[in-house]
Amino acid sequence: MRQRTASDEDLPLVDRALAGDTQAFEDLVRRHECRVFRTAVGLTGNNEDAEEALQDTFLNVYQHLGEFRRDSRFTTWLTRIAINAALQKIRRRKGNVSLDDPEVAEAEFMPRRVESWRENPERLYAAEETRRLVEEAILSLPPAYRVVFVLRDVAEMDTVEAAEVLGLTVAALKSRLLRARLMVREALAARFAERPVLKSRLVQAGMMVKQAVAAGLSRFPRQNGEE
Amino acid sequence: MFDCRQVLAELSNYVDDEVTLELRHAIEEHLARCGRCSVVYDTTRRTLKIVSGSLPPGAPLAVSERLHVRLRQLFAGGA
Ligand SMILES: [Zn+2]
């Protein structure tokens, strides 16, 4: 295991918090609450569960700070607690959730939709709608993949630390990350690719034709076929 | 010459700029002549941008305030 504790900039605050300085503990919380919240949103897919997980995480950290072994970074330890807190929220809704590799068959993540996307496809939707699409895409991942995706691409943790948090080798983490990214891409492609938009335009055009027909404006002699 | 399967295997590392210069050249040479892989690469890159941009950057203010209220209760000896 790597030794990076020498460069762990959280340790001074941890020491002061352990000595009873609650302001130092709050500073530590403020430093990390955004990343913990984002991790929890990514894992649970909603603000309410994420908020509960956020509170549980820091209450737990406060109560167990003395058990933090300095053989890992503080953030590594913190993130493990945050993941467990979020998993508890998921389990409450969905039953047992395991982070073991579910052995996703290769066909599950091979790219199927290979149409190019529109420029800024997310602007087709309201911000709230895009967020929901993204959350659903992440939630559709098996938990073992979701957690890797969330640590790397939502919480923006580096590869080495994310591997350490999850007890995976860097190679295993990277392999899951690739699959997770491809699966999220696939889920979003259903909404952002050119084709569905084109289709909806055709539907729109079809409706205009129907309206024109209904208004008796059509110059075409044959109108059957269109229903 | 890299084939589609090899490019796909390195796609994530390439997006993260975690490939050697040699590998980068091999991938880019393939992307230039393979429409399918270049779409997969482009849309994967954009997927990550959209994901990152559409989730809340952090805890909303009210969420953060409730957290700190709860912590102060804890410090004061409450549950
Ligand atoms: Zn190719």
Side-chain angles (χ1 to χ4, degrees), chain A residues 34-116:
Chain A
C34 281
R35 199 199 288 231
V36 167
F37 185 77
R38 229 165 120 91
T39 304
V41 165
L43 290 174
T44 64
N46 70 83
N47 273 17
E48 293 70 32
D49 285 349
E51 177 167 0
E52 284 187 26
L54 175 75
Q55 294 200 358
D56 293 353
T57 298
F58 285 112
L59 263 56
N60 239 311
V61 166
Y62 184 73
Q63 279 153 351
H64 298 279
L65 195 56
E67 294 161 31
F68 165 51
R69 299 273 157 265
R70 289 142 196 259
D71 52 5
S72 74
R73 289 176 69 88
F74 173 73
T75 49
T76 305
W77 183 72
L78 167 68
T79 304
R80 285 191 192 126
I81 293 174
I83 290 170
N84 282 327
L87 287 180
Q88 276 181 19
K89 302 302 155 197
I90 301 171
R91 287 189 184 114
R92 199 176 53 184
R93 292 181 193 272
K94 304 228 165 96
N96 200 29
V97 177
S98 163
L99 290 187
D100 295 340
D101 191 341
E103 302 277 339
V104 172
E106 193 165 301
E108 293 271 326
F109 60 86
M110 289 302 278
R112 287 184 297 272
R113 290 179 169 275
V114 289
E115 310 100 327
S116 54

Side-chain angles (χ1 to χ4, degrees), chain A:
Chain A
M1 282 279 121
R2 291 153 320 106
Q3 289 294 329
R4 289 196 305 186
T5 45
S7 65
D8 192 340
E9 63 278 12
D10 290 321
L11 289 185
L13 284 176
V14 169
D15 285 334
R16 281 168 53 201
L18 280 171
D21 181 345
T22 57
Q23 185 56 53
F25 187 77
E26 282 206 65
D27 290 348
L28 202 54
V29 173
R30 289 203 193 279
R31 189 179 275 183
H32 298 295
E33 64 188 39
C34 281
R35 199 199 288 231
V36 167
F37 185 77
R38 229 165 120 91
T39 304
V41 165
L43 290 174
T44 64
N46 70 83
N47 273 17
E48 293 70 32
D49 285 349
E51 177 167 0
E52 284 187 26
L54 175 75
Q55 294 200 358
D56 293 353
T57 298
F58 285 112
L59 263 56
N60 239 311
V61 166
Y62 184 73
Q63 279 153 351
H64 298 279
L65 195 56
E67 294 161 31
F68 165 51
R69 299 273 157 265
R70 289 142 196 259
D71 52 5
S72 74
R73 289 176 69 88
F74 173 73
T75 49
T76 305
W77 183 72
L78 167 68
T79 304
R80 285 191 192 126
I81 293 174
I83 290 170
N84 282 327
L87 287 180
Q88 276 181 19
K89 302 302 155 197
I90 301 171
R91 287 189 184 114
R92 199 176 53 184
R93 292 181 193 272
K94 304 228 165 96
N96 200 29
V97 177
S98 163
L99 290 187
D100 295 340
D101 191 341
E103 302 277 339
V104 172
E106 193 165 301
E108 293 271 326
F109 60 86
M110 289 302 278
R112 287 184 297 272
R113 290 179 169 275
V114 289
E115 310 100 327
S116 54
W117 291 4
R118 293 167 49 103
E119 267 327 298
N120 304 310
E122 68 278 18
R123 290 194 197 149
L124 292 173
Y125 303 94
E128 270 309 301
E129 176 72 354
T130 305
R131 179 180 166 178
R132 199 182 56 77
L133 293 175
V134 164
E135 283 172 350
E136 279 173 3
I138 298 173
L139 283 178
S140 75
L141 299 175
Y145 292 80
R146 193 191 312 162
V147 71
V148 168
F149 184 83
V150 166
L151 289 189
R152 285 287 288 113
D153 291 331
V154 177
E156 285 161 17
M157 180 173 264
D158 71 53
T159 305
V160 172
E161 188 172 11
E164 203 174 324
V165 165
L166 297 172
L168 294 172
T169 62
V170 167
L173 183 114
K174 284 186 167 185
S175 146
R176 285 194 202 180
L177 181 63
L178 168 66
R179 295 170 179 203
R181 285 173 167 176
L182 289 173
M183 287 188 274
V184 172
R185 187 205 75 92
E186 201 70 36
L188 292 183
R191 305 301 289 269
F192 292 156
E194 300 264 22
R195 192 173 289 167
V197 175
L198 211 63
K199 212 186 275 170
S200 77
R201 276 205 195 130
L202 286 177
V203 169
Q204 238 176 25
M207 274 161 50
M208 279 162 65
V209 168
K210 272 189 192 170
Q211 282 164 359
V213 169
L217 294 174
S218 175
R219 292 184 201 155
F220 297 106
R222 287 192 312 127
Q223 298 169 4
N224 334 0
E226 269 283 329
E227 187 43 57

